[in-house]
Amino acid sequence: MKKYYCIPITNSYVFHSGLSLKDHLMIVDYPLYIRDASFKEFFYGRIYCDIPTNQEFENMINKEKEYMSEAFKEKNLPESIIAVSEGNDLYEISSKEKLQSTSSLLDMTFGITEEKAKEYLMDNPDYGVKVRNFFEKYYNKRMNYKEDNQEEKKEENNKQKKLLFIKNKNKNK
């Protein structure tokens, strides 16, 4: 039996390639990641020290949701992904990218019906493009990072070889 989920890409309990979706967002678009993290930090901090009225609270949440929604649209990124589980497999519905989750709360927190999943996809006709863009940006940035790291490692090895050469040269004098 298939189960469907609508998972925000700011989620830290669903993983792809060993990193949470939230970590993917950090790699794909750091300013958007920081905005989300900062608001959550501000929001949760306010609850404990200065509880706003219901109306103020609702206004803050709505303004931030609008801002984030607009930012995701501008950057051509999905706000949420639709995931499907079949048995032990969990994957994103359009790209078939394999996902993992360690949370037993996945069903309660993000579970939706097949009809709701279809409705979400119908309401977001560019969903597939945005999801592909999200994963492609992630892969491209990870590859660039790995290539940069390889160059740094080569440079470091060359420096060490030069230092060893100079050290040995000075010993022989």
Side-chain angles (χ1 to χ4, degrees), residues 1-3 5 84-90:
M1 183 174 127
K2 290 183 179 182
K3 293 181 181 179
Y5 307 94
V84 178
S85 73
E86 291 183 88
N88 292 333
D89 293 334
L90 179 66

Side-chain angles (χ1 to χ4, degrees), residues 149-160:
N149 263 358
Q150 287 176 340
E151 287 300 316
E152 286 176 20
K153 286 179 184 178
K154 285 179 187 177
E155 265 184 54
E156 188 63 33
N157 285 340
N158 288 337
K159 286 179 185 177
Q160 288 177 356

Side-chain angles (χ1 to χ4, degrees), residues 46-102:
R46 299 251 328 174
I47 285 177
Y48 294 112
C49 65
D50 182 21
I51 300 174
T53 66
N54 284 344
Q55 189 61 43
E56 290 173 329
F57 178 72
E58 199 171 306
N59 287 342
M60 279 191 317
I61 299 284
N62 288 335
K63 283 181 183 177
E64 187 61 19
K65 282 183 179 178
E66 286 174 23
Y67 174 85
M68 291 299 283
S69 186
E70 195 58 39
F72 279 109
K73 282 179 191 170
E74 285 177 12
K75 295 171 186 258
N76 200 28
L77 296 172
E79 290 182 64
S80 298
I81 61 170
I82 301 295
V84 178
S85 73
E86 291 183 88
N88 292 333
D89 293 334
L90 179 66
Y91 58 90
E92 190 283 318
I93 197 165
S94 70
S95 66
K96 305 292 188 239
E97 290 284 342
K98 189 165 176 44
L99 305 170
Q100 303 88 31
S101 177
T102 58

